[in-house]
Every structure is written in C-alpha cells, then in structure tokens.
Amino acid sequence: DIQMTQSPSTLSASVGDRVTITCRASQSISSWLAWYQQKPGKAPKLLIYKASTLESGVPSRFSGSGSGTEFTLTISSLQPDDFATYYCQQYNSYSWTFGQGTKVEIK
Amino acid sequence: EVQLVESGGGVVRPGGSLRLSCAASGFTFDDYGMSWVRQAPGKGLEWVSAINWKGGSTGYADSVKGRFTISRDNAKNSLYLEMNSLRAEDTALYYCTRVYSSSWYGWCAYWGQGTLVTVSS
C-alpha cells in the first residue's frame, strides 16, 4: 500500500503568515492527490484535488503543488478561519490513503 | 443541495455486527461512486471502503477486508456498510462520502456528518 507522510504534525503560526504543509508519498502517485481541512466536530472539507485544482468556493489563498511523490499545500496569508487540521489523500492505487494530518495552531 | 445522512451506529460488543446506512439526496445517486471513511476518537482519517456507481466494483482497506461489506441500493438512494467480527479498534465515527466520479476511487467533495460506532464489552 502507498503510505502518505505529512510534515509537520503540528504547526504554530500567526494570522497573516505564509504556511506550507508537505505530503510525501511512498511511491509515485502522479497528481492524484487531494487536500482537506477539518475543524473540531465537523466533517472534512475538500480544498484541492488533482494536486493543484482549487475546489469551487475555496479561497484563493489556498494553493497546492507537486507531482510524483512530493506535494505541498500553501496558505498564502493565514486567516483566523484557517486554524484547523489538514489532511492529504492519495487515490492513485486501488486503495486510498490519508496522511496523518497537520494541525495548524495559533502562535 | 447534496445531503448524506448516516445512521445505524451504536454500541456493540467485540465480535458483534452492525449495519450502517447512508441516505443520499440532492444529486443523481447512481451517477457517483460512494465511500466510507472513519475517524477514531482524536485520530486521523482512515479510508474504509468504496463502491462504484453500479456496485460492481468495490475496494476495502486491509484492516477491514473480509469483515466489512459495502453495498448500495440505487433505487433507494442508499449506501450501506455491513460490519462483522467487530473489534475495539473499529471504534470510530464513520463518514459516508460521495466520490467525484462514477468510479470508486478519487476525491470526495461531499461528506455526511458521521455515525458513531463503539465496540466495547
């Protein structure tokens, strides 16, 4: 199975900061990667699919990049609503895998 | 508006069985693959199983293979997860999700609110 490793596990940042989260796949997944945001007590929300395509309605401060085995989610200017946990998900193989999550906390 | 409403969760003893249901509305159900994703208390997301639009192709995580069965009834706009031989580590909030296409693998733009399964003696 393909393993997904996110880093860091926790990130402390301030409003207005540029934030980058990395997701590494144990083998190439082309661009078959999605990013989700989850807030406490809520279902995950899709942010990005196909590594870099922004889901409709998601603010443009979110962006995704990468292909193969290394991917990044960038928040260009962190807003109060962005403090949450972020997950990557691969769907290349006949099995999905999520990363372990990155919690973005207030510094 | 797309709605996914899960039901069927509860407390069950180890070795027991449970059937989860997901009622879908607001879209043409048999145009899309569907899946179940779970989240243990305080933990991350774990994919459980998925099924294509017609029900003829399915996938399972290794952790549930042989114990869980996914199915769907397109006439009833419903998705199911039959869970047998339940273990303590199956305790989680189970989410029903809609896959982006008719196949069973991809990303999920729509999620239900989840139904809680607790396996405990």
Side-chain angles (χ1 to χ4, degrees):
Chain A
D1 285 359
I2 298 176
Q3 307 303 315
M4 305 300 292
T5 304
Q6 282 182 239
S7 59
S9 296
T10 306
L11 186 159
S12 296
S14 302
V15 173
D17 284 354
R18 181 182 181 87
V19 165
T20 298
I21 298 169
T22 298
C23 183
R24 288 187 175 88
S26 59
Q27 64 189 74
S28 178
I29 57 171
S30 184
S31 295
W32 303 120
L33 186 98
W35 289 97
Y36 300 87
Q37 175 195 67
Q38 188 179 33
K39 296 181 179 179
K42 299 293 187 181
K45 172 188 174 183
L46 177 69
L47 299 175
I48 286 167
Y49 58 93
K50 287 185 184 175
S52 60
T53 303
L54 199 66
E55 170 69 350
S56 176
V58 174
S60 59
R61 63 181 179 272
F62 291 93
S63 64
S65 65
S67 66
T69 61
E70 187 148 339
F71 302 85
T72 58
L73 172 69
T74 300
I75 308 172
S76 60
S77 177
L78 198 65
Q79 299 302 300
D81 191 49
D82 302 337
F83 291 96
T85 300
Y86 295 84
Y87 295 93
C88 62
Q89 175 221 349
Q90 71 81 19
Y91 47 89
N92 180 64
S93 67
Y94 281 76
S95 176
W96 306 5
T97 320
F98 289 91
Q100 81 277 16
T102 294
K103 185 175 183 180
V104 177
E105 298 180 327
I106 301 172
K107 192 172 184 178
Chain B
E1 179 194 3
V2 172
Q3 284 201 320
L4 300 170
V5 180
E6 304 93 338
S7 61
V11 180
V12 61
R13 294 190 184 277
S17 300
L18 213 53
R19 189 194 199 204
L20 305 185
S21 299
C22 171
S25 61
F27 64 100
T28 304
F29 184 67
D30 55 10
D31 276 351
Y32 294 92
M34 300 291 294
S35 82
W36 292 97
V37 175
R38 69 185 180 184
Q39 188 168 35
K43 302 296 184 182
L45 302 171
E46 179 187 16
W47 173 68
V48 174
S49 182
I51 188 167
N52 74 340
W53 68 281
K54 200 173 181 180
S57 180
T58 59
Y60 296 91
D62 287 345
S63 58
V64 306
K65 205 171 289 184
R67 301 187 299 124
F68 291 11
T69 303
I70 192 171
S71 62
R72 62 190 296 160
D73 185 336
N74 288 345
K76 294 183 178 179
N77 289 351
S78 292
L79 175 72
Y80 305 102
L81 185 69
E82 189 76 39
M83 304 186 295
N84 297 316
S85 302
L86 282 161
R87 306 166 180 167
E89 54 264 36
D90 295 318
T91 294
L93 186 65
Y94 284 72
Y95 291 105
C96 167
T97 84
R98 192 189 88 174
V99 183
Y100 85 103
S101 76
S102 60
S103 71
W104 64 256
Y105 46 95
W107 63 87
C108 297
Y110 295 97
W111 297 62
Q113 288 306 302
T115 187
L116 183 63
V117 173
T118 302
V119 184
S120 173
S121 54

